[in-house]
């Protein structure tokens, strides 16, 4: 199985081009004014055209109202919506019905009980994303560069499709994949030289680490 790799918080042509060239399956644009990765819908739409058809375009929002989502969908024409706030199952259903798009629902994780929060969303969200809970004082629900106990992923039912996020970088990625067997991974701060500034060299190293981990996982599977 090929690992899905999502690079999130893209804001420049160079970063979009490199992510796609390296084999990103998804690219994410963040629409959250408090984030250093925030982007205007019109700018995201222009950048997305460089990747359309080669990677899935994901619009990332945090408790966005309907007017905001209308503008984002109109300007970006995303392939998927990622809801990274406290959106209820009913809100997820409404968003899916209005826009006809699959939804990734993000959850912040610190302990086992946090994973139980996905139960009402199973069968509603198309995919989950598990991120670390933000540090005290942070206004950002993600992109904080911190990780959580990956062993918790073993508590999930086998049928749960998800992306692993939270502090992933070239140095810890192989361990994260080995421990979780995650079908998808998501990186943002781990491929940046400063908040919101994607580093093309770090991006290349991240993909090299991901592909190496894929090969090792496949080899281990064949050896069983």
């Amino acid at each position: 199985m090929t690992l899905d790799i999502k690079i999130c918080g893209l804001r420049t042509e160079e970063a979009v081009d490199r992510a796609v060239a390296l084999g990103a399956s998804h690219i994410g644009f963040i629409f959250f004014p408090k984030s250093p990765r925030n982007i205007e819908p019109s700018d995201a739409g222009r950048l997305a055209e460089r990747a359309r058809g080669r990677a899935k375009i994901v619009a990332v929002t945090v408790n966005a109202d309907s007017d905001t989502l209308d503008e984002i969908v109109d300007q970006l024409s995303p392939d998927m919506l990622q809801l990274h706030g406290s959106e209820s199952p009913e809100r997820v259903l409404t968003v899916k019905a209005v826009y006809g798009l699959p939804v990734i629902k993000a959850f912040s994780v610190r302990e086992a009980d946090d994973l139980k929060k996905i139960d009402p969303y199973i069968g509603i969200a198309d995919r989950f994303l598990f991120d670390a809970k933000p540090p005290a004082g942070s206004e950002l629900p993600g992109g904080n560069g911190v990780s959580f106990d990956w062993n918790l992923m073993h508590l999930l039912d086998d049928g749960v499709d998800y992306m692993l996020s939270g502090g992933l970088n070239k140095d810890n990625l192989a361990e994260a994949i080995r421990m979780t067997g995650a079908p998808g991974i998501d990186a943002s701060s781990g491929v940046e030289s400063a908040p919101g500034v994607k580093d093309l060299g770090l991006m290349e190293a991240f993909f090299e680490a991901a592909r190496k981990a894929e090969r090792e996982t496949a080899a281990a599977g064949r050896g069983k």
Side-chain angles (χ1 to χ4, degrees):
M1 182 178 67
T2 302
L3 183 70
D4 283 344
I5 303 177
K6 176 168 164 277
I7 302 297
C8 208
L10 296 170
R11 300 175 70 237
T12 67
E13 294 179 354
E14 293 78 11
V16 169
D17 291 348
R18 189 62 59 91
V20 174
L22 289 168
S25 58
H26 301 66
I27 59 171
F29 296 99
I30 294 177
F31 305 97
F32 185 56
K34 293 179 181 179
S35 172
R37 303 165 189 94
N38 184 56
I39 189 169
E40 292 298 318
S42 58
D43 292 333
R46 175 177 52 81
L47 292 175
E49 290 310 309
R50 307 177 73 87
R52 197 171 303 281
R54 296 187 290 162
K56 290 188 181 300
I57 312 301
V58 183
V60 181
T61 63
V62 182
N63 298 321
D65 60 27
S66 295
D67 288 343
T68 300
L69 287 176
D70 285 348
E71 182 184 7
I72 291 169
V73 171
D74 180 64
Q75 296 286 331
L76 181 61
S77 296
D79 297 304
M80 307 183 77
L81 298 172
Q82 179 176 317
L83 306 182
H84 213 110
S86 57
E87 299 89 356
S88 67
E90 292 75 20
R91 178 59 174 163
V92 175
L93 277 172
T94 298
V95 168
K96 289 181 63 172
V98 169
Y99 302 105
L101 293 170
V103 166
I104 300 170
K105 182 68 185 81
F107 287 86
S108 298
V109 177
R110 181 178 293 135
E111 56 193 23
D113 282 350
D114 294 322
L115 293 176
K116 297 177 182 177
K117 296 176 183 176
I118 76 168
D119 290 349
Y121 297 82
I122 291 175
I124 295 176
D126 297 275
R127 196 169 201 178
F128 295 102
L129 182 142
F130 296 113
D131 202 348
K133 283 200 171 180
S138 175
E139 295 186 289
L140 306 180
N144 291 292
V146 295
S147 58
F148 62 94
D149 181 2
W150 297 319
N151 281 310
L152 294 174
M153 293 295 95
H154 295 296
L155 301 175
L156 292 174
D157 291 339
D158 289 342
V160 174
D161 186 20
Y162 72 95
M163 284 188 156
L164 183 69
S165 187
L168 295 177
N169 57 52
K170 63 182 179 62
D171 297 318
N172 64 16
L173 181 58
E175 181 72 0
I177 293 172
R178 184 189 67 78
M179 288 178 64
T180 66
I185 53 176
D186 173 280
S188 184
S189 61
V191 291
E192 292 180 345
S193 57
V197 181
K198 292 294 184 281
D199 184 299
L200 304 186
L202 287 176
M203 203 181 294
E204 290 175 359
F206 185 84
F207 275 86
E208 287 177 7
R211 300 311 180 198
K212 181 180 179 183
E214 271 189 306
R215 292 193 296 272
E216 291 174 349
T217 301
R222 288 194 297 270
K224 290 181 180 178

